[in-house]
């Protein structure tokens, strides 16, 4: 096995590593391409800076590792894409790409060729998608090089976009055009099946959304395993959790090969006060890994989406950086266990008897800082380096007085009812008021709304009432723009505001976001 040595430069810079890190770590590479930050739909959460932020973080973390760490991906090949996708889908995608880029060349204006309300092709989409796919196939090639080859690696991460796991064999959707992980699975089998014994491949997906595209492609393919944890009721609504009818109780063999587990989302207050998704993840992910172990894959691909992170605007789950490290480690430990059972070694002469390998590919994740720090921990786990992230105590699940909240909510409703009754009474009295009394009351209302007594407001009562009405409108919440794939984002943003605005001890009624 080829090894790399961490330069002493790091210590000279004051960035000390633990003694366990100073030992040799696996050879690895991050595959990426500058074209991946060119695909852009304005105001879209799947934005170019996702890969830019992540690359900066990965370069900072791994800059002193020897070897060809950051590699530019080649362009993916059609013949590899159609190992998973239908020719019709690829033709349609290329047609849209050609149209959009021809329009751009001619007019220098951006034209969008839509698939659905949040998935569209523009002039740079084709190159980005082909490079993302090329990163996956190139990383697999490097993984299966002979260990003595200078380009050989033990693990890899594809820091690329657009993502892929919602793309079905014949359909682009949910920000995804080409399913990089699924293409990788079929490519590894087709290219290294005979030579390296790569016959069974598992895709493990911890993105907050269900990878319906991967599942659709693998459903009738007995050589592939798909395991996913995802937020219940989030996009795209597929991936039913069939527990407890899994494991030995499974109703069909497919249920042991396509294994879905729900995480319950929630905003950390009434809807899901204990932010249970983190505990659920720790409980359910090993169930998936256990079924994967039973399946005995020869190769593993992580669909590494980081949108189950507590900071993510599209997900409502509560994972932290270290959870992605843990999830990766659990899978790698299972692979090591299987290798030991089967007597596989790193450099066995029989290539089918070499240790299993794993690669990660970016899926979702929309908080730029969270995806960067999470990706660093994911890659550290792929390298079998210890986790360097620990969630501060203040981010731990909130302890909320539910009974108190409910009581205060009821009290508030009663207060509101009382106010409404009083308003009705005032309206009735209004008819009996003199013109002077009406003006006085309107002025009082205006002062209450603005917080200060407004004097010398000139004009008729109607004008004064209009001022009050406009003030009332300007104080109302702004209507929220709803975009299908990010329908949950408002709640999440509010959740973040809530967390920022409250201590762990008390929540006021104004902060309760759940109906
Ligand atoms: Zn996602």
């Amino acid at each position: 096995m080829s090894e790399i040595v961490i330069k002493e430069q790091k210590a000279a810079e004051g960035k000390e590593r633990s003694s366990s890190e100073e030992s040799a770590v696996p050879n690895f590479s991050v595959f990426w391409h500058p074209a991946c930050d060119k695909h852009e739909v304005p105001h879209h959460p799947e934005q170019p800076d996702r890969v830019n932020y992540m690359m900066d973080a990965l370069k900072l973390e791994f800059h002193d590792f020897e070897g060809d760490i950051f590699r530019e991906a080649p362009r993916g090949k059609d013949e590899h894409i159609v190992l998973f996708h239908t020719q019709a889908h690829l033709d349609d995608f290329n047609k849209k790409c050609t149209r959009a880029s021809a329009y751009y060349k001619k007019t220098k204006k951006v034209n969008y060729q839509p698939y659905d309300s949040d998935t569209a092709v523009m002039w740079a989409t084709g190159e980005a998608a082909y490079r993302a796919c090329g990163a996956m196939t190139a990383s697999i090639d490097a993984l299966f090089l002979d260990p003595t080859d200078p380009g050989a690696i033990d693990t890899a991460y594809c820091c690329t976009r657009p993502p892929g796991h919602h793309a079905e064999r014949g359909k682009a959707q949910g920000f995804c055009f080409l399913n990089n992980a699924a293409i990788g699975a079929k490519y590894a089998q087709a290219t290294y099946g005979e030579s390296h014994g790569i016959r069974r491949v598992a895709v493990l997906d911890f993105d907050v959304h269900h990878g319906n595209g991967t599942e659709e492609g693998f459903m009738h393919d007995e050589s592939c395993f798909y395991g996913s944890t995802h937020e219940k009721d989030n996009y795209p609504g597929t991936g039913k959790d069939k527990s407890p009818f899994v494991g030995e109780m499974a109703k069909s063999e497919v249920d042991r090969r396509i294994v879905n587990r729900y995480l319950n989302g929630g905003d950390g207050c009434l809807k899901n006060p204990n932010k249970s998704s983190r505990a659920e993840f720790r409980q359910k992910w090993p169930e998936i890994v256990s079924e994967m172990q039973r399946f005995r894959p020869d190769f593993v691909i992580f669909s590494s989406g980081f949108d189950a992170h507590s900071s993510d605007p599209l997900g409502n789950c509560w994972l932290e950086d270290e959870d992605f490290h843990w999830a990766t480690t659990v899978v790698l430990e299972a692979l090591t266990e299987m290798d030991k059972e089967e007597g596989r070694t790193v450099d066995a002469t029989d290539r089918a008897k070499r240790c299993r390998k794993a690669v990660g590919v970016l899926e979702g994740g929309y908080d730029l800082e969270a995806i960067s720090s999470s990706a660093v921990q994911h890659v550290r786990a792929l390298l079998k380096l210890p986790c360097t992230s620990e969630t501060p105590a203040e981010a731990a699940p909130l302890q909320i007085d539910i009974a108190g909240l409910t009581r205060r909510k009821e009290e508030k409703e009663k207060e509101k009812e009382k106010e409404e009754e009083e308003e009705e009474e005032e309206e009735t009295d209004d008819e009996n008021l003199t013109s002077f009394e009406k003006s006085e009351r309107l002025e009082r209302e205006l002062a209450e709304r603005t917080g200060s007594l407004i004097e010398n407001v000139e004009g008729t009562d109607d004008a004064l009432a209009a001022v009050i009405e406009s003030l009332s409108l300007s104080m109302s919440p702004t209507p929220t723009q709803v975009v299908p794939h990010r329908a949950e984002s408002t709640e999440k943003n509010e959740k973040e505001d809530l967390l920022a605005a409250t201590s762990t001890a008390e929540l006021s009624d104004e902060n309760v976001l759940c109906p």
Side-chain angles (χ1 to χ4, degrees):
M1 172 184 165
S2 54
E3 295 180 343
I4 65 170
V5 179
I6 298 168
K7 288 180 182 174
E8 289 180 356
Q9 173 198 344
K10 192 94 176 181
E13 289 173 6
K15 296 173 183 173
E16 293 172 12
R17 287 179 185 275
S18 67
S19 57
S20 59
E21 286 180 74
E22 284 160 10
S23 58
V25 295
N27 244 340
F28 84 111
S29 283
V30 173
F31 287 79
W32 69 290
H33 194 277
C36 290
D37 87 346
K38 301 290 183 290
H39 161 65
E40 183 173 16
V41 176
H43 312 298
H44 200 294
E46 207 288 277
Q47 56 178 301
D49 267 347
R50 295 177 68 232
V51 284
N52 295 333
Y53 268 63
M54 291 173 79
M55 284 301 293
D56 284 350
L58 292 167
K59 282 179 179 169
L60 192 68
E61 179 75 10
F62 302 111
H63 75 278
D64 60 349
F65 280 55
E66 286 183 347
D68 193 6
I69 304 295
F70 297 96
R71 301 192 197 183
E72 278 200 19
R75 204 167 194 277
K77 293 181 178 167
D78 286 356
E79 68 206 68
H80 300 152
I81 294 169
V82 296
L83 290 171
F84 178 75
H85 288 289
T86 62
Q87 186 66 51
H89 171 65
L90 185 59
D91 290 345
D92 185 52
F93 177 60
N94 278 322
K95 199 157 83 181
K96 282 182 161 61
C97 292
T98 305
R99 265 196 225 135
S101 58
Y103 186 84
Y104 183 72
K105 271 181 200 158
K106 197 173 167 186
T107 65
K108 287 292 163 208
K109 287 179 185 167
V110 184
N111 167 269
Y112 300 96
Q113 299 279 315
Y115 273 107
D116 59 34
S117 59
D118 52 18
T119 313
V121 167
M122 45 80 74
W123 65 270
T125 308
E127 188 64 12
Y130 269 83
R131 294 289 176 174
C133 167
M136 174 53 75
T137 54
S139 68
I140 291 169
D141 288 338
L143 285 171
F144 293 115
L145 280 174
D146 194 85
T148 57
D149 191 295
I153 51 174
D154 302 303
T155 188
Y157 182 64
C158 299
C159 187
T160 50
R161 59 180 285 276
H165 72 156
H166 295 307
E168 296 179 5
R169 284 171 302 167
K171 189 178 177 185
Q173 59 189 330
F175 315 170
C176 302
F177 307 94
L178 302 177
N179 193 323
N180 304 310
I183 291 167
K186 300 315 293 176
Y187 175 74
Q189 289 174 328
T191 314
Y192 298 101
E194 282 297 316
S195 59
H196 290 68
I198 307 300
R199 303 188 194 282
R200 293 160 80 79
V201 181
V203 171
L204 295 172
D205 186 338
F206 47 65
D207 189 282
V208 83
H209 305 102
H210 177 239
N212 56 312
T214 312
E215 177 175 304
E216 183 264 351
F218 288 4
M219 185 59 78
H220 304 291
D221 185 343
E222 290 180 4
S223 68
C224 293
F225 176 98
Y226 178 69
S228 169
T229 46
H230 44 272
E231 185 187 343
K232 187 173 185 284
D233 299 330
N234 203 328
Y235 179 91
T238 51
K240 192 176 176 195
D241 182 339
K242 294 193 178 171
S243 13
F245 300 108
V246 288
E248 297 304 322
M249 295 168 73
K251 289 184 173 175
S252 80
E253 196 56 28
V254 175
D255 292 341
R256 305 203 69 175
R257 197 169 51 71
I258 306 288
V259 187
N260 294 305
R261 287 290 185 278
Y262 285 146
L263 302 180
N264 285 296
D267 50 17
C269 56
L270 283 182
K271 196 170 168 189
N272 188 346
N274 296 319
K275 303 196 284 191
S276 61
S277 52
R278 201 170 180 207
E280 287 164 359
F281 186 60
R282 295 276 175 156
Q283 179 209 325
K284 295 181 176 186
W285 185 253
E287 292 175 14
I288 292 171
V289 176
S290 167
E291 286 296 334
M292 177 206 76
Q293 229 170 327
R294 177 182 176 271
F295 177 80
R296 299 195 96 71
D298 301 301
F299 179 51
V300 163
I301 298 172
F302 287 95
S303 266
S304 313
F306 302 111
D307 40 11
H309 194 283
S310 63
S311 301
D312 196 88
L314 303 202
N316 300 291
C317 289
W318 295 91
L319 305 194
E320 300 295 344
D321 299 352
E322 58 264 38
D323 292 310
F324 301 109
H325 185 284
W326 168 82
T328 311
T329 302
V330 169
V331 173
L332 297 187
E333 284 175 352
L335 298 186
T336 303
E337 202 178 307
M338 286 189 282
D339 288 341
K340 277 186 186 162
E341 286 166 6
E342 296 168 21
R344 293 199 188 201
T345 58
V346 174
D347 46 10
T349 320
D350 179 355
R351 288 183 288 199
K353 287 287 178 190
R354 287 180 189 163
C355 291
R356 293 169 166 86
K357 290 186 173 179
V359 59
V361 57
L362 176 62
E363 299 287 359
Y366 305 97
D367 180 274
L368 298 175
E369 289 184 8
I371 60 175
S372 304
S373 52
S374 299
V376 164
Q377 296 309 326
H378 174 52
V379 174
R380 285 185 66 85
L382 285 171
L383 293 170
K384 301 185 178 175
L385 293 173
C387 182
T388 50
S389 173
E390 195 177 334
T391 305
E394 56 264 31
L398 295 174
Q399 298 298 318
I400 298 173
D401 173 13
I402 299 294
L405 281 176
T406 312
R407 191 180 62 246
R408 287 195 293 276
K409 196 178 175 190
E410 285 169 359
E411 285 168 3
K412 184 124 188 173
E413 276 168 7
K414 276 182 194 164
E415 261 176 44
K416 204 178 165 191
E417 277 173 25
K418 201 176 161 192
E419 276 173 20
E420 281 170 0
E421 279 171 17
E422 282 172 2
E423 271 174 28
E424 273 175 31
E425 280 171 20
E426 277 187 11
E427 272 171 29
T428 316
D429 293 345
D430 207 32
E431 291 160 15
N432 304 320
L433 291 178
T434 64
S435 170
F436 176 76
E437 284 168 336
K438 276 185 193 172
S439 297
E440 227 182 11
R441 211 192 81 202
L442 286 166
E443 279 181 31
R444 199 171 59 244
E445 279 183 36
L446 183 59
E448 278 170 12
R449 285 177 183 276
T450 56
S452 63
L453 185 64
I454 296 177
E455 293 176 344
N456 305 323
V457 177
E458 296 194 358
T460 62
D461 292 346
D462 285 348
L464 205 54
V467 172
I468 290 173
E469 179 63 17
S470 71
L471 275 168
S472 171
L473 283 174
S474 69
M475 287 172 181
S476 302
T478 323
T480 309
Q481 185 190 9
V482 178
V483 179
H485 195 60
R486 26 184 167 152
E488 303 288 346
S489 62
T490 308
E491 180 184 275
K492 187 76 179 205
N493 291 338
E494 286 172 344
K495 179 186 79 176
E496 283 166 3
D497 292 342
L498 165 66
L499 286 173
T502 52
S503 72
T504 55
E506 276 284 312
L507 289 173
S508 72
D509 281 358
E510 285 71 24
N511 290 322
V512 178
L513 306 171
C514 312

